[in-house]
Short mmCIF file of all heavy atoms in Angstrom, two decimals:
data_model
loop_
_atom_site.label_atom_id
_atom_site.label_comp_id
_atom_site.label_asym_id
_atom_site.label_seq_id
_atom_site.Cartn_x
_atom_site.Cartn_y
_atom_site.Cartn_z
N THR A 225 6.50 -2.42 -2.77
CA THR A 225 6.77 -2.05 -4.16
C THR A 225 8.15 -1.43 -4.22
O THR A 225 8.78 -1.19 -3.20
CB THR A 225 5.73 -1.04 -4.68
OG1 THR A 225 5.79 0.12 -3.86
CG2 THR A 225 4.34 -1.62 -4.67
N SER A 226 8.63 -1.18 -5.41
CA SER A 226 9.91 -0.53 -5.61
C SER A 226 9.69 0.75 -6.41
O SER A 226 8.72 0.87 -7.15
CB SER A 226 10.86 -1.44 -6.38
OG SER A 226 11.14 -2.59 -5.63
N GLN A 227 10.62 1.69 -6.25
CA GLN A 227 10.50 2.93 -7.00
C GLN A 227 11.87 3.46 -7.36
O GLN A 227 12.86 3.08 -6.75
CB GLN A 227 9.73 3.98 -6.22
CG GLN A 227 10.49 4.60 -5.07
CD GLN A 227 9.68 5.69 -4.40
OE1 GLN A 227 8.46 5.60 -4.34
NE2 GLN A 227 10.35 6.71 -3.91
N VAL A 228 11.90 4.30 -8.39
CA VAL A 228 13.11 5.04 -8.76
C VAL A 228 12.71 6.49 -8.98
O VAL A 228 11.58 6.78 -9.39
CB VAL A 228 13.80 4.48 -10.03
CG1 VAL A 228 14.33 3.08 -9.80
CG2 VAL A 228 12.87 4.49 -11.23
N GLU A 229 13.61 7.39 -8.69
CA GLU A 229 13.40 8.81 -8.92
C GLU A 229 13.92 9.16 -10.31
O GLU A 229 15.03 8.78 -10.67
CB GLU A 229 14.14 9.64 -7.86
CG GLU A 229 13.64 9.40 -6.45
CD GLU A 229 12.19 9.77 -6.25
OE1 GLU A 229 11.76 10.82 -6.78
OE2 GLU A 229 11.48 9.01 -5.59
N LEU A 230 13.13 9.89 -11.08
CA LEU A 230 13.54 10.29 -12.42
C LEU A 230 14.57 11.42 -12.34
O LEU A 230 14.44 12.32 -11.52
CB LEU A 230 12.33 10.78 -13.21
CG LEU A 230 11.36 9.70 -13.67
CD1 LEU A 230 10.10 10.34 -14.21
CD2 LEU A 230 12.01 8.82 -14.70
N PRO A 231 15.59 11.37 -13.19
CA PRO A 231 16.53 12.49 -13.26
C PRO A 231 15.79 13.76 -13.69
O PRO A 231 14.75 13.70 -14.37
CB PRO A 231 17.53 12.06 -14.35
CG PRO A 231 17.41 10.58 -14.41
CD PRO A 231 15.98 10.27 -14.07
N PRO A 232 16.31 14.95 -13.33
CA PRO A 232 15.60 16.20 -13.62
C PRO A 232 15.40 16.49 -15.10
O PRO A 232 14.46 17.18 -15.47
CB PRO A 232 16.47 17.27 -12.98
CG PRO A 232 17.67 16.60 -12.43
CD PRO A 232 17.51 15.14 -12.57
N ASP A 233 16.26 15.98 -15.99
CA ASP A 233 16.14 16.30 -17.41
C ASP A 233 15.26 15.34 -18.19
O ASP A 233 15.13 15.47 -19.40
CB ASP A 233 17.53 16.40 -18.06
CG ASP A 233 18.33 15.13 -17.94
OD1 ASP A 233 18.01 14.29 -17.06
OD2 ASP A 233 19.30 14.97 -18.69
N VAL A 234 14.61 14.39 -17.51
CA VAL A 234 13.70 13.46 -18.19
C VAL A 234 12.35 14.14 -18.37
O VAL A 234 11.76 14.64 -17.41
CB VAL A 234 13.54 12.15 -17.39
CG1 VAL A 234 12.48 11.25 -18.03
CG2 VAL A 234 14.86 11.42 -17.29
N GLY A 235 11.87 14.16 -19.61
CA GLY A 235 10.57 14.75 -19.92
C GLY A 235 9.44 13.77 -19.69
O GLY A 235 9.63 12.70 -19.12
N PRO A 236 8.24 14.10 -20.20
CA PRO A 236 7.08 13.24 -19.97
C PRO A 236 7.11 11.93 -20.78
O PRO A 236 6.44 10.97 -20.42
CB PRO A 236 5.91 14.11 -20.39
CG PRO A 236 6.48 15.11 -21.33
CD PRO A 236 7.90 15.33 -20.90
N GLU A 237 7.88 11.88 -21.85
CA GLU A 237 7.95 10.67 -22.68
C GLU A 237 9.28 9.96 -22.46
O GLU A 237 10.34 10.54 -22.67
CB GLU A 237 7.80 11.03 -24.16
CG GLU A 237 6.45 11.63 -24.51
CD GLU A 237 5.30 10.67 -24.23
OE1 GLU A 237 5.44 9.46 -24.53
OE2 GLU A 237 4.27 11.13 -23.72
N PHE A 238 9.20 8.70 -22.05
CA PHE A 238 10.40 7.91 -21.82
C PHE A 238 10.02 6.43 -21.81
O PHE A 238 8.85 6.07 -21.66
CB PHE A 238 11.09 8.29 -20.51
CG PHE A 238 10.18 8.23 -19.31
CD1 PHE A 238 9.99 7.05 -18.62
CD2 PHE A 238 9.51 9.36 -18.88
CE1 PHE A 238 9.15 6.99 -17.53
CE2 PHE A 238 8.67 9.33 -17.79
CZ PHE A 238 8.49 8.13 -17.11
N ASP A 239 11.00 5.58 -22.01
CA ASP A 239 10.82 4.13 -21.94
C ASP A 239 11.53 3.62 -20.70
O ASP A 239 12.58 4.13 -20.30
CB ASP A 239 11.41 3.44 -23.18
CG ASP A 239 10.64 3.77 -24.44
OD1 ASP A 239 9.40 3.89 -24.38
OD2 ASP A 239 11.29 3.89 -25.50
N VAL A 240 10.96 2.58 -20.09
CA VAL A 240 11.52 1.98 -18.89
C VAL A 240 11.86 0.52 -19.19
O VAL A 240 11.02 -0.23 -19.69
CB VAL A 240 10.52 2.05 -17.71
CG1 VAL A 240 11.07 1.35 -16.49
CG2 VAL A 240 10.18 3.49 -17.40
N TYR A 241 13.09 0.14 -18.87
CA TYR A 241 13.56 -1.23 -19.04
C TYR A 241 14.02 -1.76 -17.68
O TYR A 241 14.73 -1.07 -16.96
CB TYR A 241 14.74 -1.30 -20.01
CG TYR A 241 14.37 -0.95 -21.43
CD1 TYR A 241 14.32 0.36 -21.86
CD2 TYR A 241 14.05 -1.96 -22.34
CE1 TYR A 241 13.98 0.69 -23.15
CE2 TYR A 241 13.71 -1.64 -23.64
CZ TYR A 241 13.68 -0.32 -24.04
OH TYR A 241 13.33 -0.01 -25.34
N VAL A 242 13.59 -2.97 -17.34
CA VAL A 242 14.08 -3.65 -16.15
C VAL A 242 14.80 -4.90 -16.63
O VAL A 242 14.21 -5.74 -17.30
CB VAL A 242 12.94 -4.01 -15.17
CG1 VAL A 242 13.47 -4.82 -14.00
CG2 VAL A 242 12.24 -2.75 -14.68
N ASN A 243 16.08 -4.97 -16.33
CA ASN A 243 16.92 -6.08 -16.79
C ASN A 243 16.85 -6.24 -18.30
O ASN A 243 16.85 -7.35 -18.82
CB ASN A 243 16.55 -7.38 -16.09
CG ASN A 243 16.72 -7.30 -14.59
OD1 ASN A 243 17.58 -6.58 -14.10
ND2 ASN A 243 15.90 -8.01 -13.86
N GLY A 244 16.75 -5.11 -19.01
CA GLY A 244 16.73 -5.14 -20.48
C GLY A 244 15.39 -5.42 -21.10
O GLY A 244 15.28 -5.49 -22.33
N VAL A 245 14.34 -5.58 -20.29
CA VAL A 245 13.00 -5.88 -20.81
C VAL A 245 12.14 -4.63 -20.69
O VAL A 245 12.01 -4.05 -19.62
CB VAL A 245 12.36 -7.05 -20.02
CG1 VAL A 245 10.95 -7.33 -20.51
CG2 VAL A 245 13.22 -8.30 -20.11
N LEU A 246 11.54 -4.22 -21.81
CA LEU A 246 10.68 -3.04 -21.84
C LEU A 246 9.45 -3.26 -20.96
O LEU A 246 8.79 -4.29 -21.05
CB LEU A 246 10.24 -2.75 -23.27
CG LEU A 246 9.34 -1.53 -23.48
CD1 LEU A 246 10.05 -0.24 -23.07
CD2 LEU A 246 8.89 -1.46 -24.92
N LYS A 247 9.16 -2.28 -20.10
CA LYS A 247 7.99 -2.34 -19.22
C LYS A 247 6.96 -1.32 -19.69
O LYS A 247 7.29 -0.34 -20.32
CB LYS A 247 8.39 -2.06 -17.76
CG LYS A 247 9.38 -3.06 -17.21
CD LYS A 247 8.77 -4.44 -17.21
CE LYS A 247 9.74 -5.48 -16.72
NZ LYS A 247 9.17 -6.82 -16.73
N LYS A 248 5.68 -1.58 -19.36
CA LYS A 248 4.59 -0.74 -19.83
C LYS A 248 3.98 0.06 -18.69
O LYS A 248 3.68 -0.49 -17.63
CB LYS A 248 3.50 -1.59 -20.48
CG LYS A 248 3.96 -2.26 -21.75
CD LYS A 248 2.80 -2.98 -22.40
CE LYS A 248 3.29 -3.75 -23.59
NZ LYS A 248 3.00 -3.14 -24.84
N ARG A 249 3.80 1.37 -18.96
CA ARG A 249 3.14 2.25 -18.00
C ARG A 249 1.69 1.81 -17.83
O ARG A 249 1.02 1.48 -18.79
CB ARG A 249 3.19 3.69 -18.50
CG ARG A 249 2.67 4.69 -17.50
CD ARG A 249 2.65 6.08 -18.03
NE ARG A 249 3.98 6.53 -18.38
CZ ARG A 249 4.37 7.80 -18.37
NH1 ARG A 249 3.52 8.75 -18.04
NH2 ARG A 249 5.59 8.12 -18.71
N GLY A 250 1.22 1.76 -16.62
CA GLY A 250 -0.14 1.33 -16.33
C GLY A 250 -0.27 -0.16 -16.14
O GLY A 250 -1.26 -0.62 -15.57
N VAL A 251 0.69 -0.93 -16.62
CA VAL A 251 0.68 -2.38 -16.44
C VAL A 251 1.76 -2.79 -15.44
O VAL A 251 1.47 -3.45 -14.43
CB VAL A 251 0.92 -3.12 -17.78
CG1 VAL A 251 1.01 -4.61 -17.58
CG2 VAL A 251 -0.17 -2.76 -18.78
N ASP A 252 3.00 -2.38 -15.69
CA ASP A 252 4.12 -2.75 -14.85
C ASP A 252 4.51 -1.66 -13.84
O ASP A 252 5.11 -1.95 -12.82
CB ASP A 252 5.35 -3.07 -15.71
CG ASP A 252 5.08 -4.19 -16.69
OD1 ASP A 252 4.61 -5.25 -16.24
OD2 ASP A 252 5.31 -3.99 -17.89
N PHE A 253 4.20 -0.41 -14.17
CA PHE A 253 4.57 0.70 -13.29
C PHE A 253 3.63 1.88 -13.47
O PHE A 253 2.90 1.95 -14.46
CB PHE A 253 6.02 1.15 -13.55
CG PHE A 253 6.23 1.80 -14.89
CD1 PHE A 253 6.10 3.18 -15.05
CD2 PHE A 253 6.56 1.06 -16.01
CE1 PHE A 253 6.29 3.79 -16.28
CE2 PHE A 253 6.75 1.65 -17.25
CZ PHE A 253 6.61 3.02 -17.38
N GLU A 254 3.66 2.79 -12.52
CA GLU A 254 2.93 4.05 -12.58
C GLU A 254 3.93 5.18 -12.35
O GLU A 254 4.94 4.98 -11.69
CB GLU A 254 1.86 4.12 -11.48
CG GLU A 254 0.78 3.08 -11.59
CD GLU A 254 -0.13 3.26 -12.80
OE1 GLU A 254 -0.25 4.41 -13.29
OE2 GLU A 254 -0.70 2.27 -13.25
N VAL A 255 3.62 6.35 -12.87
CA VAL A 255 4.43 7.53 -12.61
C VAL A 255 3.68 8.37 -11.59
O VAL A 255 2.53 8.74 -11.80
CB VAL A 255 4.70 8.33 -13.90
CG1 VAL A 255 5.50 9.59 -13.59
CG2 VAL A 255 5.43 7.46 -14.91
N VAL A 256 4.35 8.64 -10.45
CA VAL A 256 3.78 9.44 -9.38
C VAL A 256 4.72 10.60 -9.14
O VAL A 256 5.80 10.42 -8.58
CB VAL A 256 3.59 8.60 -8.09
CG1 VAL A 256 3.01 9.46 -6.99
CG2 VAL A 256 2.72 7.38 -8.37
N GLY A 257 4.34 11.77 -9.59
CA GLY A 257 5.24 12.93 -9.49
C GLY A 257 6.48 12.69 -10.34
O GLY A 257 6.39 12.46 -11.54
N ARG A 258 7.64 12.71 -9.72
CA ARG A 258 8.92 12.44 -10.40
C ARG A 258 9.44 11.05 -10.06
O ARG A 258 10.63 10.78 -10.21
CB ARG A 258 9.96 13.48 -10.01
CG ARG A 258 9.63 14.90 -10.42
CD ARG A 258 9.64 15.13 -11.91
NE ARG A 258 10.94 14.86 -12.50
CZ ARG A 258 11.14 14.68 -13.80
NH1 ARG A 258 10.14 14.76 -14.64
NH2 ARG A 258 12.34 14.42 -14.27
N SER A 259 8.56 10.16 -9.63
CA SER A 259 8.96 8.79 -9.28
C SER A 259 8.25 7.79 -10.18
O SER A 259 7.11 7.98 -10.57
CB SER A 259 8.60 8.47 -7.83
OG SER A 259 9.28 9.31 -6.95
N ILE A 260 8.95 6.71 -10.45
CA ILE A 260 8.34 5.55 -11.12
C ILE A 260 8.13 4.51 -10.04
O ILE A 260 9.08 4.12 -9.35
CB ILE A 260 9.26 4.98 -12.22
CG1 ILE A 260 9.48 6.02 -13.31
CG2 ILE A 260 8.66 3.70 -12.79
CD1 ILE A 260 10.49 5.59 -14.34
N VAL A 261 6.88 4.08 -9.86
CA VAL A 261 6.55 3.09 -8.84
C VAL A 261 6.18 1.80 -9.55
O VAL A 261 5.24 1.75 -10.34
CB VAL A 261 5.38 3.57 -7.95
CG1 VAL A 261 5.05 2.53 -6.90
CG2 VAL A 261 5.72 4.91 -7.30
N PHE A 262 6.95 0.75 -9.27
CA PHE A 262 6.74 -0.55 -9.89
C PHE A 262 5.75 -1.37 -9.07
O PHE A 262 5.75 -1.31 -7.85
CB PHE A 262 8.07 -1.32 -9.99
CG PHE A 262 9.04 -0.68 -10.94
CD1 PHE A 262 9.97 0.24 -10.49
CD2 PHE A 262 9.00 -0.98 -12.29
CE1 PHE A 262 10.85 0.85 -11.36
CE2 PHE A 262 9.88 -0.38 -13.17
CZ PHE A 262 10.81 0.54 -12.70
N ARG A 263 4.95 -2.15 -9.76
CA ARG A 263 3.97 -3.00 -9.07
C ARG A 263 4.66 -4.18 -8.40
O ARG A 263 4.19 -4.67 -7.39
CB ARG A 263 2.92 -3.49 -10.06
CG ARG A 263 2.09 -2.35 -10.61
CD ARG A 263 1.08 -2.83 -11.62
NE ARG A 263 0.49 -1.70 -12.30
CZ ARG A 263 -0.70 -1.22 -12.01
NH1 ARG A 263 -1.41 -1.76 -11.06
NH2 ARG A 263 -1.16 -0.18 -12.67
N ALA A 264 5.76 -4.63 -8.97
CA ALA A 264 6.52 -5.75 -8.39
C ALA A 264 7.72 -5.20 -7.63
O ALA A 264 8.24 -4.13 -7.94
CB ALA A 264 7.00 -6.68 -9.49
N GLN A 265 8.14 -5.93 -6.62
CA GLN A 265 9.31 -5.53 -5.86
C GLN A 265 10.57 -5.92 -6.63
O GLN A 265 10.72 -7.06 -7.05
CB GLN A 265 9.31 -6.19 -4.50
CG GLN A 265 10.43 -5.72 -3.61
CD GLN A 265 10.32 -6.30 -2.22
OE1 GLN A 265 9.34 -6.92 -1.86
NE2 GLN A 265 11.35 -6.11 -1.44
N LEU A 266 11.48 -4.97 -6.83
CA LEU A 266 12.74 -5.22 -7.50
C LEU A 266 13.80 -5.52 -6.44
O LEU A 266 13.74 -4.99 -5.34
CB LEU A 266 13.15 -4.02 -8.34
CG LEU A 266 12.13 -3.58 -9.40
CD1 LEU A 266 12.65 -2.36 -10.14
CD2 LEU A 266 11.84 -4.70 -10.37
N ALA A 267 14.77 -6.35 -6.79
CA ALA A 267 15.77 -6.78 -5.82
C ALA A 267 17.11 -6.10 -6.07
O ALA A 267 17.50 -5.85 -7.20
CB ALA A 267 15.94 -8.29 -5.90
N GLN A 268 17.79 -5.81 -4.98
CA GLN A 268 19.15 -5.30 -5.02
C GLN A 268 20.03 -6.24 -4.23
O GLN A 268 19.65 -6.68 -3.14
CB GLN A 268 19.22 -3.89 -4.41
CG GLN A 268 18.55 -2.85 -5.25
CD GLN A 268 19.25 -2.69 -6.58
OE1 GLN A 268 20.36 -2.24 -6.66
NE2 GLN A 268 18.59 -3.09 -7.64
N GLU A 269 21.19 -6.55 -4.77
CA GLU A 269 22.07 -7.52 -4.11
C GLU A 269 22.56 -7.02 -2.77
O GLU A 269 22.72 -7.78 -1.84
CB GLU A 269 23.26 -7.84 -5.02
CG GLU A 269 24.14 -8.92 -4.43
CD GLU A 269 25.22 -9.35 -5.38
OE1 GLU A 269 25.67 -8.54 -6.19
OE2 GLU A 269 25.59 -10.52 -5.30
N GLY A 270 22.81 -5.75 -2.64
CA GLY A 270 23.29 -5.21 -1.36
C GLY A 270 24.79 -5.41 -1.21
O GLY A 270 25.49 -5.84 -2.13
N ARG A 271 25.27 -5.07 -0.05
CA ARG A 271 26.70 -5.17 0.22
C ARG A 271 27.12 -6.63 0.42
O ARG A 271 26.37 -7.42 0.97
CB ARG A 271 27.06 -4.37 1.46
CG ARG A 271 26.88 -2.89 1.27
CD ARG A 271 27.25 -2.15 2.52
NE ARG A 271 28.56 -2.54 2.99
CZ ARG A 271 29.62 -1.76 3.00
NH1 ARG A 271 29.52 -0.53 2.56
NH2 ARG A 271 30.77 -2.18 3.46
N LEU A 272 28.33 -6.94 -0.01
CA LEU A 272 28.88 -8.27 0.20
C LEU A 272 29.55 -8.34 1.55
O LEU A 272 30.30 -7.44 1.92
CB LEU A 272 29.91 -8.60 -0.89
CG LEU A 272 29.39 -8.67 -2.32
CD1 LEU A 272 30.55 -8.93 -3.27
CD2 LEU A 272 28.35 -9.75 -2.46
#
């Protein structure tokens, strides 16, 4: 799976977009502590 750490100033209500597409909590991702854990693996291009 993939995850991102929430910035410290983000409260309990927020929207998540992946590549500009709105994702739904409980369907596409879960919030675990201060992390968003996605059900699908997200890709990063990495170094060239």
